[in-house]
């Protein structure tokens, strides 16, 4: 899906009104919805590529970006928790409890190539991070 950029230009380092490729998905495991994920990528990167298809193929979006010369060099994730809205409760089949939200920005060099917003049940997920000490 293609949309004009609004509300995210500062995160993607693009001009307000720039076209974005929006990948809006309900992720499932064992036929149960487990995560909502909305990725936004600059359309100048995705135009006419598999990134604009429903199925991006083995390795997903990151593999397709790398094939186009956008080596993934870093990520930033901001994690928070909140109560789900009515649509999130319905799509994820939740009866109560909070959701975890993760906003991930992905870089190729100094360029942001994707912003991904994820929503998942706080009762079903544990997020684990590890990194080297400086």
């Amino acid at each position: 899906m293609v949309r004009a950029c609004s509300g995210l230009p500062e995160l993607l380092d693009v001009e307000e009104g720039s076209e974005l490729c929006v990948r809006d998905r309900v992720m499932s495991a064992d036929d149960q919805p487990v995560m909502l994920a909305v990725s936004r990528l600059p359309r100048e990167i995705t135009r006419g590529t598999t990134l604009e298809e429903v199925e991006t193929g083995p390795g997903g979006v990151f593999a397709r970006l790398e094939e186009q010369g956008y080596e993934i060099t870093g990520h930033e994730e901001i994690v928070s928790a909140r109560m789900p809205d009515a649509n999130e409760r319905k799509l994820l089949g939740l009866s109560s409890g909070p959701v975890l939200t993760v906003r991930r920005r992905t870089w190729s060099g100094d360029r942001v190539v994707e912003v991904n917003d994820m929503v998942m049940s706080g009762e079903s997920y544990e997020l684990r991070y590890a990194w080297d000490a400086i």
Side-chain angles (χ1 to χ4, degrees), residues 52-96:
E52 294 188 343
E53 301 295 327
V54 172
E55 295 295 328
T56 58
V61 168
F62 295 152
R64 302 299 76 78
L65 286 167
E66 294 219 349
E67 287 170 359
Q68 293 180 60
Y70 295 98
E71 178 186 356
I72 304 304
T73 57
H75 304 278
E76 169 191 73
E77 291 189 341
I78 300 170
V79 180
S80 59
R82 61 172 171 74
M83 295 307 291
D85 64 29
N87 189 54
E88 292 165 341
R89 274 195 303 277
K90 178 182 174 187
L91 290 172
L92 291 171
L94 303 175
S95 57
S96 65

Side-chain angles (χ1 to χ4, degrees), residues 1-16:
M1 172 183 321
V2 175
R3 295 186 190 152
C5 182
S6 61
L8 291 172
E10 68 283 352
L11 292 175
L12 282 162
D13 294 328
V14 297
E15 296 289 322
E16 184 76 39

